[in-house]
Amino acid sequence: MPGSESLAETLAEALPADTGTMDLHVFPDRETYVRIDSPVAQRDVLLVAALDAPDSKLVPLFLVASTLSSLGARNIVLVAPYLPYLRQDSVFRPGEGLSSSYVAHWISGFADGLVTVEPHLHRIEALSDVFSIPCETASAASSITHWVGENVARPMIVGPDMASRHWSDGIARALECPGVFLHKVRHGDRRVEISIPDLPAYTDFTPVLVDDIISSGQTMAMAVRRLRSAGFPQPVCIGVHALFGQATADLLHAAGAERVVSCNSLRHPSNAIDLGRPVVAAARSLLRTLQAPRRA
Amino acid sequence: MPGSESLAETLAEALPADTGTMDLHVFPDRETYVRIDSPVAQRDVLLVAALDAPDSKLVPLFLVASTLSSLGARNIVLVAPYLPYLRQDSVFRPGEGLSSSYVAHWISGFADGLVTVEPHLHRIEALSDVFSIPCETASAASSITHWVGENVARPMIVGPDMASRHWSDGIARALECPGVFLHKVRHGDRRVEISIPDLPAYTDFTPVLVDDIISSGQTMAMAVRRLRSAGFPQPVCIGVHALFGQATADLLHAAGAERVVSCNSLRHPSNAIDLGRPVVAAARSLLRTLQAPRRA
């Protein structure tokens, strides 16, 4: 899909696979036109899509997948490094719906498999709880580990919360550096309090804050300020999925961040960390699952 | 849905029905938040939506319908006076899909019934060929007839083509005025030739061009020019669904149109003809269908 050409080429080269082409344009009446130019009958097709700002992107995706299916594609694998709508995973107030499960149900109807990276799973335990198609989740940890190893001297990994502790701890272990995590207490939609454990022993380490999504950046900015006032060097902020704009980048820098970088699940000026390897591995694994003989 | 409040109120008053309220807003990460504020359990809910520029509107619609369903609504009736995606109703070139049927299939999965006005059916014979839910089609003919009767002295109805002849002829018969239709020959996406029957006897009648959709306005502008050069007074152009911008309005006026007016299926500066009555009647009929005892 538009904007994902680079990851599509990485996948095509590594798997290896052919690169398909299509004509996807918007008619004057603002409907989407789809024509698949490549032969897809009896083939497994990986459909690569960057799904930030999802409302306007999901309908074209649905039309492309439906067209592939009508042209006889064997399996349609959605490769969506960023999976949207996972945050509405609970009825927080009466009258709300479970958008996460509605979207997952819909996608499960037009795709045969899903590859994603670091899905934002809090109250949903596994993607298979909401998707009825095989899903493969790539981890960004190895890519982040590699980047930090190359770019940050004496890092200290700061994870977002207890729930993601295994993730940030894994990066710290791989780098053989200290790893800590924040305690976050949420008061409503916007107000969040965080506490950082007492770390006088580490103040000559550069804090590397890691989170799956950087969106408003409020919590991360708060953590940056706490670390600065505790005497730490300017932190590096890393988000897997960059959903933020310039205002958030400015906020983080104003709070004292040295750099704000992201993985390339979504195209963004802060992209610095390549997810090609884990996505290729996850796609390979999913294709094996789909190609395995199925029970009747 | 946003933008359809006026029609929703007309329906609520006429049926009669209660008016529900909801909180529908866009999060900073551009996902849609839905909360239904009104009690909907065990009730038939009419969800009124203007579906021009459909890609960004269909996902919120899907989320609202899914939420209504999870809250126990008995029947969810989509009232979409303009039904999008009907024009991709055939594979015109290899590799294309049938977007009309994909969208219809999707909507049939989250709505229990559909009310629409003058759907653009060419190669699809009936909505039931693509929708698997009960559909009720309201005609704009009576509303247009009423408006022309009030606003145009000595009208001559000019229908868009043979296929819609029954429709434009019906308006002409109701007004007891002449009715003719265009012969349209399409050469590719943009080039269209039209011919108008020889009508010297009617040149003191005001041509009223009627069509279901005004979009680019090219064909209608051509017809206006032909009629002007044949000695007719400045025509009135009427479209049921106004999908056009100022450039099209300018084009039609430059060709010689006196007025360009539309029905209020979509909110548009050209709205002049109210569809309240036929939509209310169609909604009533559909609710009766849904409430009728079903076979086990």
Side-chain angles (χ1 to χ4, degrees):
Chain A
M1 302 293 290
S4 298
E5 293 81 0
S6 156
L7 178 56
E9 275 164 37
T10 302
L11 279 161
E13 202 165 303
L15 283 172
D18 296 331
T19 306
T21 58
M22 63 178 165
D23 178 7
L24 191 70
H25 70 252
V26 178
F27 282 117
D29 64 2
R30 312 265 295 277
E31 297 185 355
T32 296
Y33 171 83
V34 178
R35 195 186 69 242
I36 311 292
D37 291 323
S38 306
V40 297
Q42 304 303 321
R43 304 188 71 168
D44 294 338
V45 179
L46 289 97
L47 189 50
V48 189
L51 293 181
D52 55 324
D55 287 4
S56 58
K57 294 180 179 172
L58 286 167
V59 171
L61 179 75
F62 162 69
L63 295 175
V64 169
S66 302
T67 302
L68 287 169
S69 181
S70 78
L71 294 170
R74 184 169 48 194
N75 288 301
I76 297 157
V77 176
L78 172 59
V79 180
Y82 171 66
L83 195 56
Y85 272 111
L86 286 173
R87 297 202 262 185
Q88 189 69 34
D89 60 353
S90 179
V91 174
F92 302 97
R93 293 180 57 187
E96 290 180 353
L98 279 174
S99 301
S100 51
S101 71
Y102 308 150
V103 171
H105 178 77
W106 180 35
I107 291 176
S108 299
F110 65 74
D112 302 296
L114 170 72
V115 173
T116 191
V117 181
E118 301 293 352
H120 190 81
L121 301 177
H122 273 195
R123 280 149 292 250
I124 298 166
E125 293 220 352
L127 287 181
S128 57
D129 291 353
V130 286
F131 283 87
S132 57
I133 52 175
C135 296
E136 195 72 45
T137 297
S139 170
S142 62
S143 303
I144 293 173
T145 301
H146 181 78
W147 187 88
V148 173
E150 299 269 301
N151 290 276
V152 185
R154 293 178 70 74
M156 173 184 82
I157 306 299
V158 184
D161 52 31
M162 268 303 267
S164 321
R165 186 176 180 174
H166 66 283
W167 185 67
S168 43
D169 270 5
I171 298 172
R173 260 198 314 277
L175 289 163
E176 298 178 335
C177 75
V180 300
F181 55 90
L182 307 173
H183 281 282
K184 198 161 29 171
V185 184
R186 186 171 283 277
H187 306 279
D189 247 24
R190 303 250 158 208
R191 229 166 63 78
V192 168
E193 274 181 28
I194 58 160
S195 70
I196 291 170
D198 216 22
L199 303 161
Y202 296 130
T203 48
D204 54 343
F205 285 82
T206 297
V208 177
L209 286 76
V210 291
D211 208 344
D212 61 346
I213 293 172
I214 300 183
S215 177
S216 73
Q218 295 290 344
T219 311
M220 203 175 249
M222 207 183 292
V224 169
R225 278 190 292 267
R226 287 282 176 87
L227 288 159
R228 286 298 282 156
S229 59
F232 282 90
Q234 285 193 280
V236 173
C237 296
I238 299 180
V240 178
H241 307 297
L243 292 176
F244 61 97
Q246 191 55 44
T248 294
D250 292 345
L251 173 78
L252 290 167
H253 284 296
E258 191 209 338
R259 290 186 68 175
V260 181
V261 302
S262 63
C263 300
N264 59 352
S265 56
L266 300 170
R267 196 157 53 174
H268 194 271
S270 64
N271 284 171
I273 304 171
D274 181 45
L275 293 170
R277 285 171 65 106
V279 171
V280 165
R284 269 211 195 97
S285 167
L286 190 76
L287 286 169
R288 270 197 303 271
T289 304
L290 290 171
Q291 287 156 1
R294 283 170 236 187
R295 284 169 296 181
Chain B
M1 303 294 290
S4 298
E5 293 81 0
S6 155
L7 178 57
E9 275 164 37
T10 301
L11 279 161
E13 203 165 303
L15 284 173
D18 296 330
T19 307
T21 59
M22 64 179 164
D23 179 7
L24 191 70
H25 69 252
V26 178
F27 283 116
D29 63 2
R30 312 264 297 276
E31 297 185 356
T32 296
Y33 172 83
V34 178
R35 196 187 67 243
I36 311 293
D37 290 323
S38 306
V40 298
Q42 303 304 319
R43 304 188 71 169
D44 293 338
V45 179
L46 288 100
L47 190 50
V48 189
L51 294 181
D52 54 324
D55 288 3
S56 59
K57 293 180 179 174
L58 285 168
V59 172
L61 181 73
F62 162 69
L63 296 176
V64 169
S66 302
T67 303
L68 287 168
S69 181
S70 77
L71 294 170
R74 183 170 47 193
N75 287 302
I76 297 158
V77 176
L78 173 59
V79 180
Y82 172 66
L83 195 57
Y85 272 111
L86 286 173
R87 295 202 262 184
Q88 188 69 34
D89 59 354
S90 179
V91 174
F92 302 97
R93 292 180 56 186
E96 290 180 353
L98 278 174
S99 301
S100 51
S101 72
Y102 309 150
V103 171
H105 178 77
W106 180 35
I107 291 176
S108 298
F110 65 75
D112 302 295
L114 170 72
V115 173
T116 191
V117 180
E118 301 292 353
H120 190 80
L121 301 177
H122 274 195
R123 281 150 291 252
I124 298 166
E125 294 222 353
L127 289 181
S128 57
D129 291 353
V130 285
F131 284 87
S132 57
I133 51 176
C135 297
E136 194 74 44
T137 297
S139 170
S142 61
S143 303
I144 293 174
T145 301
H146 181 78
W147 187 89
V148 174
E150 299 270 301
N151 290 277
V152 185
R154 293 179 70 76
M156 173 183 82
I157 305 299
V158 184
D161 51 32
M162 268 304 264
S164 321
R165 187 176 180 173
H166 65 285
W167 184 68
S168 44
D169 269 4
I171 299 172
R173 260 198 313 278
L175 289 164
E176 298 178 335
C177 75
V180 300
F181 55 91
L182 308 174
H183 281 284
K184 199 160 32 170
V185 184
R186 186 172 284 276
H187 307 278
D189 245 24
R190 304 249 157 208
R191 230 166 61 78
V192 168
E193 275 181 27
I194 58 162
S195 70
I196 292 170
D198 215 22
L199 303 162
Y202 298 129
T203 49
D204 54 344
F205 284 82
T206 298
V208 177
L209 284 78
V210 292
D211 208 343
D212 61 345
I213 293 173
I214 300 181
S215 177
S216 74
Q218 295 291 345
T219 310
M220 203 174 249
M222 205 183 291
V224 169
R225 279 190 293 267
R226 287 282 176 87
L227 288 160
R228 286 298 282 155
S229 58
F232 283 89
Q234 284 193 281
V236 173
C237 296
I238 299 180
V240 177
H241 307 297
L243 292 175
F244 62 98
Q246 190 56 43
T248 294
D250 293 345
L251 173 77
L252 290 168
H253 285 296
E258 190 208 339
R259 291 186 69 174
V260 181
V261 301
S262 63
C263 300
N264 60 351
S265 56
L266 300 169
R267 196 157 54 174
H268 193 272
S270 64
N271 284 172
I273 303 171
D274 181 45
L275 294 169
R277 285 171 65 106
V279 171
V280 165
R284 269 210 194 96
S285 166
L286 189 75
L287 287 170
R288 271 196 303 271
T289 304
L290 290 172
Q291 286 155 2
R294 285 171 233 185
R295 285 169 295 181

